[in-house]
Amino acid sequence: MERELRLAILIDADNIAEKYIKVILEEAAKTGVATYKRIYGDWTSPQMKSWKNTLLDNSIIPIQQYGYTTGKSSTDSAMIIDAMDILYSGAVDGFCLVSSDSDFTRLAARLRESGMDVTGMGESKTPKPFIAACNRFRYLDILFSSQQKEENKEEIKEVREEKEQSRSAKKSQTKEETGPQTSLRVLKRAIRNITKECSDDEGWIFSAELRNQLDKRFPDFDVRNFGYSKFTPFIESLDIFEVKRTRSGLRHVQLVYFKLKK
């Protein structure tokens, strides 16, 4: 099995809105595993108060950088210095630079010169030089808007499914979690989205890939939370997939694939 890229996600809080965090982490998960998750800004500023729960919930480390000059972003230099320190540590294979600021153009180019895989993320207003300096670039405002539309559709669908669900449905399907663990509704929505994003041209996704993406996005994910001991029976219980089983190799290992029902 090919080793996943170890990533450093560095976020410029002066140029990125809090609402994009979920999109940022989901896009990074498609590329590799986040070794570093850091965000840079002046956290003594009243405007940054709203970030607290988001950072705690996603285990993102805030890096304090005071605004020494009025009207001038001071996070750029701190983020660039950190990026170079991480580069020389040899602890990562790639970077996610999250900003709509062209000041990170040279940093992106320098990291690529050192053999790093560089993903840029920012809004549509991001200057072209920064976009061109990255291996790939993701427009957060477009992705966020698309995600919101998709979630609204899924929410309507989920409400309809819940109404149609009989009282004799499995306890694990109807159970509502009261603790801090990720709810079944949130997981089900994520599973649909992951399948749409990571499936092949015919819509099939390998069970191991689905499990891997869930583990990266939800650290508390465990099928035992929902009364199951195996991953495949849990996914089948959601009743949203067609299932395909094949045999592979000399030992005839069973491979399982899932495809969303129409």
Side-chain angles (χ1 to χ4, degrees), residues 64-191:
Q64 172 62 30
Q65 183 62 35
Y66 292 103
Y68 298 116
T69 306
T70 304
K72 175 66 178 173
S73 173
S74 59
T75 62
D76 297 5
S77 57
M79 189 163 149
I80 291 168
I81 291 169
D82 256 14
M84 297 310 293
D85 285 344
I86 294 170
L87 170 65
Y88 292 129
S89 75
V92 300
D93 307 300
F95 286 78
C96 290
L97 302 179
V98 188
S99 179
S100 300
D101 192 339
S102 62
D103 288 351
F104 295 105
T105 301
R106 184 69 189 98
L107 173 62
R110 176 66 182 83
L111 293 172
R112 287 187 66 185
E113 288 171 0
S114 295
M116 293 288 106
D117 182 271
V118 180
T119 299
M121 299 187 196
E123 293 184 319
S124 298
K125 65 183 180 181
T126 304
K128 287 187 177 179
F130 178 39
I131 296 171
C134 302
N135 291 94
R136 67 194 66 81
F137 193 88
R138 302 291 181 255
Y139 294 105
L140 295 175
D141 48 346
I142 296 174
L143 291 174
F144 179 78
S145 177
S146 175
Q147 187 182 76
Q148 289 295 102
K149 290 177 183 177
E150 192 64 33
E151 285 184 356
N152 288 338
K153 287 181 185 177
E154 293 299 334
E155 195 166 338
I156 293 171
K157 192 171 184 178
E158 286 166 7
V159 170
R160 190 183 301 125
E161 286 175 352
E162 286 177 2
K163 286 182 178 178
E164 293 173 354
Q165 190 179 30
S166 67
R167 292 183 180 180
S168 60
K170 289 184 178 180
K171 185 180 179 181
S172 58
Q173 285 182 279
T174 57
K175 177 185 173 184
E176 276 298 321
E177 295 78 32
T178 56
Q181 69 194 55
T182 304
S183 71
L184 185 60
R185 174 176 284 191
V186 170
L187 280 173
K188 198 171 180 179
R189 187 177 301 162
I191 287 167

Side-chain angles (χ1 to χ4, degrees), residues 3-15:
R3 183 176 67 85
E4 290 189 294
L5 294 179
R6 299 167 298 169
L7 303 176
I9 303 174
L10 308 182
I11 305 168
D12 175 11
D14 287 347
N15 282 285

Side-chain angles (χ1 to χ4, degrees), residues 46-79:
Q47 290 91 333
M48 307 300 273
K49 264 190 172 182
S50 63
W51 280 90
K52 181 179 177 181
N53 288 336
T54 300
L55 301 186
L56 289 173
D57 291 345
N58 294 284
S59 189
I60 301 173
I61 306 300
I63 306 298
Q64 172 62 30
Q65 183 62 35
Y66 292 103
Y68 298 116
T69 306
T70 304
K72 175 66 178 173
S73 173
S74 59
T75 62
D76 297 5
S77 57
M79 189 163 149

